[in-house]
Every structure is written in structure tokens, then in C-alpha cells.
């Protein structure tokens, strides 16, 4: 599992180990949505009982260590991975989104990549052909 997770660009050994430990080798937390909620990456709508609705926010009850590690991976990805750089630039400059919102999306992208690679038991490849498995 360590080799599979660390094959993803900018995800290091410590982050991979922490993901394996916190998810109990992906047995207890088996989906990327569950892991995102556990790590404090999933946005929740903020609304009152009277129908007032505010901007979505992430939960304060989260595994802060995991969130910090994923944020470090997201920052590194933004510096060294060209498709993440293009995504960040498009979302911040063209779409006008706040930078932290985009970093949260990048963290979620990394979690999705990890769970996809673990599920299919394969190393990460940038240009993966999904039709070759069928």
C-alpha cells in the first residue's frame, strides 16, 4: 500500500503511513467521501431552521494532523505538478474562487487518487486508460 500511495506525485511516506493507519488499511474508512469527511475536507452547507443559508464550510471536528499533511501535499502539488498548477490557476484567476477553497479541492483530488489506486491495486499513472480494464 505504501508503494501505491507514494506513486502519486507529492504524496510522501509520512502522509501515506498516516492514511493507512487512520483508515485501518482502508477497511474502516473504505470510500474517499468518508475519508474526506473524516479529514475535514468535505464542505457542509451552513443553514438555519428559518431558511437562511450561508456559504458552505468545512467541519472543525476533523483529524487535524491528516488535514495538515494533505494540505502540505496540495501545496507541493501546486508547485510541481503541471495539471494541478493549471487547475489552480483556472479556478483562482478565471473563475475567481478563493485560494483556500481551491486548495481544499486539490486535497480532495489527492484523496480520490489514493482511493482509486488502492481500489484497483495499481500504481498511479498520469495517462491511465480506464477502458483497458473492461
Amino acid at each position: 500500500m505504501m508503494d501505491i500511495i507514494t506513486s502519486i506525485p507529492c504524496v510522501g511516506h509520512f502522509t501515506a503511513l498516516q492514511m493507512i493507519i487512520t483508515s485501518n488499511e482502508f477497511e474502516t474508512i473504505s470510500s474517499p467521501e468518508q475519508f474526506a469527511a473524516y479529514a475535514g475536507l468535505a464542505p457542509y452547507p451552513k443553514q438555519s431552521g428559518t431558511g437562511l443559508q450561508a456559504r458552505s464550510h468545512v467541519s472543525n471536528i476533523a483529524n487535524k494532523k491528516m488535514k495538515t499533511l494533505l494540505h502540505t501535499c496540495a501545496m507541493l502539488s501546486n508547485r510541481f505538478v503541471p495539471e494541478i498548477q493549471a487547475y489552480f490557476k483556472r479556478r483562482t484567476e478565471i473563475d475567481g474562487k478563493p485560494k483556500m477553497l481551491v486548495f481544499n479541492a486539490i486535497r480532495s483530488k489527492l484523496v480520490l487518487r489514493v482511493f482509486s489506486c488502492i481500489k484497483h491495486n495499481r500504481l498511479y499513472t498520469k495517462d491511465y486508460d480506464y477502458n483497458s480494464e473492461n
Side-chain angles (χ1 to χ4, degrees):
M1 285 186 181
M2 286 287 286
D3 292 335
I4 292 172
I5 296 172
T6 55
S7 69
I8 298 167
C10 299
V11 177
H13 293 286
F14 195 72
T15 305
L17 183 64
Q18 191 68 26
M19 287 183 87
I20 291 169
I21 291 170
T22 57
S23 66
N24 193 20
E25 294 184 352
F26 300 96
E27 296 294 324
T28 307
I29 301 175
S30 57
S31 74
E33 293 83 13
Q34 288 175 338
F35 193 85
Y38 174 76
L41 307 178
Y44 293 101
K46 191 182 219 180
Q47 57 188 354
S48 68
T50 60
L52 296 176
Q53 201 166 19
R55 201 167 74 177
S56 296
H57 68 288
V58 292
S59 175
N60 288 332
I61 305 169
N63 185 336
K64 304 279 196 253
K65 187 173 193 172
M66 190 72 250
K67 188 173 183 177
T68 302
L69 290 170
L70 288 170
H71 184 73
T72 304
C73 295
M75 297 284 282
L76 288 171
S77 295
N78 189 35
R79 282 185 74 183
F80 299 113
V81 181
E83 66 265 13
I84 298 290
Q85 286 175 341
Y87 175 78
F88 184 81
K89 184 175 182 180
R90 178 172 49 88
R91 292 297 301 248
T92 54
E93 294 177 6
I94 297 171
D95 296 343
K97 300 290 182 184
K99 289 182 181 181
M100 287 309 294
L101 184 135
V102 180
F103 276 122
N104 196 45
I106 293 171
R107 289 187 293 229
S108 296
K109 282 178 175 288
L110 292 174
V111 169
L112 287 169
R113 288 178 181 183
V114 167
F115 273 83
S116 176
C117 290
I118 291 293
K119 179 182 174 186
H120 294 104
N121 197 21
R122 63 170 176 80
L123 297 177
Y124 176 79
T125 55
K126 181 181 171 192
D127 300 319
Y128 183 70
D129 184 18
Y130 295 99
N131 296 326
S132 65
E133 285 187 6
N134 297 335

